[in-house]
Structures are given as structure tokens and as C-alpha cells.
Amino acid sequence: MTPTGQTEAPAIKRYPFTRTSPLAPAPEFDELRTNDPVTQVELWNGNRAWLATRYEDIRALLHNPNLSSDTMREGFPQANATAASFRGGQRVFARMDPPQHDEHRLMLTADFMVRHVRELRPYLDELIDNFLDDMQASEGPVDLVKVLAQPVPANIITRLLDLPPEDSEFFLERVNTWMSLEVEPAVSAQAGADSLAYFDRLITSRLESTADDLVSRLIRERLLTGQLSRAELQHMLGLILVGGFDTTANMIALGTLTFIQHPDQLQVLLDDPSLLPNAVEELLRYLTVAHHVAYRIAAGPIEIAGRSIREGDGVIAPLMAANYDPEVFPSPHTFDIQRDARGHLAFGYGVHQCLGQALARVELQAVFGKLFQRLPNIRLAVPENELRFKDSLIYGVVALPVTW
Amino acid sequence: MSVKIEVMRERCMGAGNCAEVSPDYFDQDSIDGTVVLLRSDVEPGDEHEVETAADVCPVAAILVKKTAASV
Ligand code: HEM
Ligand code: SF4
């Protein structure tokens, strides 16, 4: 109570919140979920946006047709100036609304469907065995990010798009810079432009291809038929690269770290390997690496949790807040590979839910199956407090030195 | 009680969650990846699995309907 007898309005919080522990969500989410589940926050540029923190509200918002992903709309909320610069001008279906979004996405769904991507498992098992052979041939310690976490998705994507494997170094570096929130906007924009220029050259080189790879098929069936413009195809390929790379790489590195921190859970998994698919779901929930995903703008009125959101309002529906809602995931801060985590929103929700999720599951199941089976005593080679985490669009660890 | 599944294919985004959770009931079309219902009558004991599939569908394209068995 202030001397005048009026309660002071709580100061508006600044978003994004800062984590206080590397792998856990910022504490503000838990506090707001209890006290003010749909609230207003202030962004880097002084703009305000709505912030939801309950699972049901976040799901309802991401499913609401009045919530737009189109970053070209005036007032679209962003995490900071760098995010604003690289998300501003994208013309990819991740940033489109239905019906155009659906049209573009459905051009790719068949290639990413469950049955299809599961056929990659033998290839993946062999790939991972090779990486682990190389690792074990050395004395250690090694940086797991460099020898396993990044090479797995990089190889999968080069295979999917049938690119020369030697190009993956280039991608690693470009995508990392492009998606970083820690570099200057111009540096990030240049890395994005470089990646898109690469795809432009790739399209040129396959214009007459009769081969069966995804890029050649998209050129024949979508570009030459006029369904996609050249720029749209270029951005679409860029989206597959960006969508599938950092996400999976960071899940592998942080997932390994999580098991190292929870030896009891690792033992449960080693005792019963059939828990692996469930363990991967729990890792996806617990880590929610897409921690900056789900910025949206209202394209019409939305009623949620007694609040009235108006057209043009920015809306943030953080997947991480949903995945730590104790109503849905009891004791959410506990990493428990035996819980039912399948309803997690680590891949988002609504029409934009991850296109590559079946592929990501296959990759993660293959990696963690092999890794812990072959190196059950894997451990950190540096004190935990020396690890550096990166604040990118996707959350990750810069390096993970391990020994075994 | 009989339990039936309905899918609204025009909503489907081909995320494949249903086929992941409940492959005996759901598959994906090989041309566009959208949902294919393999059978609509739910066997006793499978209700939970099918309801989970409906729940994890990101676009609510799956309906699980319980009807009192007709006499
Ligand atoms: C563990 C790994 C992954 C995670 C955590 C993840 C997470 C996500 C999330 C949260 C979204 C929703 C974005 C939004 O709502 O704004 C998304 C969309 C997307 N993801 Fe993933 N992803 C992963 C792997 C992949 C892979 C392997 C690919 C493809 C090679 C991929 C391609 C895409 C695409 C194309 C979209 C846009 C879908 C749309 O807008 O309709 N992702 N992902
Ligand atoms: S879960 Fe829903 S969106 Fe995904 S394939 Fe099944 S019906 Fe389609």
C-alpha cells in the first residue's frame, strides 16, 4: 500500500526474460502463470505485447486463426534488433498465414512424413557409428558439438537436398551467424544473404535436372510450373536448412548434457532401452530449444483468459512456458524420462507445427540410442560452470567438451 | 458404447503426430503427406491411444466420437 492508500500497479516487465539457470526457463514464467497468466510485457523497442504462460492458453492462441505469423505486418513483435532484422523480410511459409502457408507447406509434407523419414534410420545408425568410432579412436576429450551434434543434422540435410557434403562446413558457419541474437544485425543479414545466394546457384545448376532429389523435383513440379517463384523456392530451401539444423544440433548437445547431469535417468534408460522414444519426448519438453519461437501478431480480435486482444497487438506464446505448466506436466522442473510428455509443444502448435518433427525424432532416437549404449560413462571434461550457452533464436551450448 | 474416428483431411498439415502415436489407425498419404484413416472403428482397449492421437494433432483434425451402441 502506498501512502495515498492505492496499490501501485506492478511495473510492466521487460521481455524476453533472463534465465537464472542455464537449462531452466526464466522464473518469471512460473510466477506469471500463477498470478497473471495473460499479461502485457515491454519489448526492446518500447513496444508492448501480450504474453501467455499457461499451456491451454498458449495452445489456444497458436491454434487461433486470428493470430498471424506474418512478420511483414506493422508492429510484429521481435526479441531484439537482430531478430527484427533477420525475421523482417522473410517470405517463407513459416511466416505466412493460411491459405498460402498451407499451399506451400503441402508441397513438402510427403518428403517429411513419418513412414518416409523412418527409412533413414539405417543410414543414420551407420553415420553415427562412424562418428563415434572416430571419437573413440582419439584420446579425448572432444567437443561433442563439433564431432556429433552438428555433423548429424548437417549430413541429413545435405543428403535430403543432395548437396555436396563438403558444403556443410559453409552452412554450419552461415546458419550459426544468421540465427545468432548476439551478432550485429548487419552481420546476421549478410550470413542470411550468403545462404540464399548459395541456393540461387543451386537452383540454376539443377534447372534441367531429371534427378529425383527434393530440389530437382521442386524445380520441375513447382518452379517451372509457376506455382513458386524463384525467390520463394530459394527461401523455402533456406527454411529447410535453418529449420533442421540448429534445432537438432542443439537438442543433441543439450540432451547429452541433460543426461550427464541426471545419471539416475541415464541408468533408467540403459536398463530399459525401450524407453528411448519417451526419453526423447521428455528431452524435447525439458529443453524446449526453440525458446524464442511463437511471436505472433493479432490479425483480428481474440478473447483469451478474460483478456481482449485487439487487431494489431503483438502476442507472445512461449513454448517453454507451456512445457513447464504443472497442470499438464506435474513437477515440470524434474527431468523424468518415464513421464508422459507427448503433449509437449516443443515443436509448436497449430498450422506451423514443425514440418520436420518426424525427422527430428528419428535423428534424436538414433543419436541417443547409440551414444549412451557405446559411451555409458560419458562425462564433462570441464567444470559445468565453464560451459557457455548461446542466445540464438534456438537455445544451445557453444561447446561441450566430453570424455568417456 | 462404440467409438469412431473422423478426420478432417482439409485441415491436416501432415505433421504426422497421429501416425507416430497410433500407426494402426493413421497413416499419411504418399503424395501429400496428409492423414489417411486406416480404420474408423476403434477396438476396445485402443481408446486411450486414439484419443492421444487426436490430442496431439496440432490442427485438431481428428475427432474421436463416443456413441451409445445401438440396440
Ligand atoms: C529437435 C529439432 C526441432 C525442433 C525443436 C523444431 C522446432 C520447431 C518449431 C517450434 C516450429 C514452429 C515455429 C512457429 O510456430 O513459429 C518449427 C517449424 C518448422 N520446422 Fe522445426 N524443429 C526441429 C527440427 C526440424 C527439422 C529437422 C526440420 C527440417 C529439416 C524442420 C523444419 C521446420 C519447418 C520447415 C518449419 C515451419 C513449419 C510451418 O511454418 O508450417 N524442423 N520447428
Ligand atoms: S496429426 Fe493432425 S495434422 Fe498431423 S498428420 Fe495427423 S491429422 Fe494431419
Side-chain angles (χ1 to χ4, degrees):
Chain A
M1 294 282 257
T2 56
T4 55
Q6 287 178 332
T7 41
E8 227 164 315
I12 185 160
K13 287 187 167 54
R14 186 71 184 256
Y15 191 84
F17 304 136
T18 313
R19 293 177 189 241
T20 51
S21 162
L23 297 192
E28 284 89 344
F29 288 136
D30 285 343
E31 182 197 317
L32 285 170
R33 199 184 298 108
T34 313
N35 300 325
D36 195 8
V38 175
T39 189
Q40 288 218 305
V41 288
E42 188 182 85
L43 303 174
W44 61 283
N45 57 1
N47 284 359
R48 290 191 173 190
W50 294 99
L51 174 76
T53 40
R54 287 194 304 215
Y55 180 91
E56 281 311 329
D57 295 339
I58 289 172
R59 235 168 77 141
L61 283 169
L62 293 176
H63 189 56
N64 192 307
N66 275 347
L67 209 58
S68 166
S69 282
D70 184 355
T71 45
M72 309 288 262
R73 282 178 191 263
E74 186 64 33
F76 196 96
Q78 299 285 3
N80 69 14
T82 305
S85 81
F86 68 66
R87 304 195 79 183
Q90 285 178 312
R91 291 312 297 153
V92 290
F93 62 89
R95 309 261 51 102
M96 290 173 190
D97 297 324
Q100 206 191 2
H101 160 272
D102 306 5
E103 248 169 62
H104 283 200
R105 175 170 168 136
L106 289 171
M107 295 178 187
L108 293 175
T109 35
D111 279 82
F112 288 93
M113 64 190 198
V114 177
R115 191 160 21 91
H116 199 98
V117 298
R118 282 197 179 150
E119 290 164 6
L120 286 169
R121 187 63 188 262
Y123 163 78
L124 265 165
D125 282 341
E126 196 188 320
L127 184 75
I128 294 161
D129 267 330
N130 289 341
F131 291 143
L132 294 177
D133 288 345
D134 290 348
M135 215 171 130
Q136 283 183 305
S138 82
E139 280 290 294
V142 299
D143 174 10
L144 196 90
V145 173
K146 286 273 169 309
V147 302
L148 188 70
Q150 293 189 333
V152 169
N155 275 271
I156 282 287
I157 294 189
T158 46
R159 186 184 155 103
L160 217 66
L161 302 182
D162 199 20
L163 307 176
E166 60 275 17
D167 288 0
S168 65
E169 280 289 314
F170 167 84
F171 289 134
L172 287 171
E173 200 271 320
R174 297 284 95 179
V175 174
N176 275 332
T177 311
W178 190 6
M179 294 295 117
S180 173
L181 298 182
E182 293 164 325
V183 301
E184 289 298 316
V187 175
S188 160
Q190 184 57 47
D194 290 349
S195 308
L196 291 172
Y198 176 89
F199 286 118
D200 195 47
R201 292 194 297 277
L202 184 73
I203 294 169
T204 303
S205 72
R206 293 197 190 165
L207 271 178
E208 295 180 1
S209 161
T210 52
D212 203 34
D213 63 280
L214 178 59
V215 180
S216 300
R217 277 185 284 123
L218 286 170
I219 291 174
R220 273 201 307 278
E221 293 163 18
R222 311 295 181 180
L223 178 68
L224 300 178
T225 55
Q227 292 176 45
L228 284 180
S229 71
R230 192 174 170 118
E232 283 171 338
L233 178 55
Q234 220 180 317
H235 280 84
M236 187 183 266
L237 297 174
L239 174 63
I240 296 175
L241 176 68
V242 167
F245 177 61
D246 226 14
T247 45
T248 316
N250 291 338
M251 272 304 302
I252 295 173
L254 294 179
T256 305
L257 175 61
T258 303
F259 271 110
I260 290 175
Q261 289 174 335
H262 297 88
D264 57 319
Q265 293 296 304
L266 180 54
Q267 198 53 52
V268 174
L269 178 62
L270 291 171
D271 290 344
D272 181 1
S274 73
L275 286 171
L276 184 60
N278 206 59
V280 165
E281 297 310 309
E282 172 66 350
L283 274 180
L284 285 161
R285 178 198 74 85
Y286 185 75
L287 295 168
T288 317
V289 293
H291 68 157
H292 278 309
V293 169
Y295 287 77
R296 299 287 197 264
I297 191 164
I302 297 172
E303 294 294 323
I304 185 100
R307 302 284 202 157
S308 301
I309 299 177
R310 288 169 314 172
E311 178 175 353
D313 286 356
V315 178
I316 306 166
L319 306 176
M320 200 153 205
N323 283 344
Y324 278 75
D325 185 338
E327 288 283 320
V328 184
F329 307 105
S331 308
H333 294 272
T334 306
F335 175 60
D336 173 6
I337 66 167
Q338 285 163 295
R339 78 159 79 233
D340 184 359
R342 275 180 306 192
H344 69 72
L345 304 190
F347 289 120
Y349 195 74
V351 295
H352 292 285
Q353 196 188 56
C354 185
L355 171 73
Q357 58 182 297
L359 175 59
R361 287 188 166 103
V362 173
E363 292 183 67
L364 296 174
Q365 290 175 14
V367 166
F368 293 120
K370 289 275 179 199
L371 178 66
F372 298 126
Q373 190 194 351
R374 289 190 52 178
L375 308 175
N377 294 318
I378 188 167
R379 57 196 180 275
L380 285 181
V382 295
E384 205 173 306
N385 60 16
E386 284 179 18
L387 295 176
R388 276 191 50 232
F389 295 87
K390 51 179 176 181
D391 187 18
S392 279
L393 192 58
I394 306 300
Y395 193 66
V397 62
V398 178
L400 192 70
V402 294
T403 180
W404 49 91
Chain B
M1 267 277 277
S2 81
V3 182
K4 278 191 180 293
I5 311 173
E6 268 177 39
V7 296
M8 289 162 276
R9 198 158 167 189
E10 68 287 354
R11 281 197 188 182
C12 173
M13 281 299 122
N17 292 349
C18 52
E20 191 89 45
V21 168
S22 185
D24 291 341
Y25 290 86
F26 304 95
D27 195 359
Q28 289 173 277
D29 184 273
S30 26
I31 307 289
D32 68 2
T34 56
V35 61
V36 175
L37 190 59
L38 298 174
R39 47 199 173 120
S40 57
D41 291 314
V42 180
E43 298 282 325
D46 289 348
E47 294 89 348
H48 180 68
E49 179 187 298
V50 166
E51 271 161 17
T52 306
D55 187 56
V56 296
C57 172
V59 290
I62 301 172
L63 281 180
V64 180
K65 288 188 172 167
K66 292 196 182 97
T67 45
S70 49
V71 241

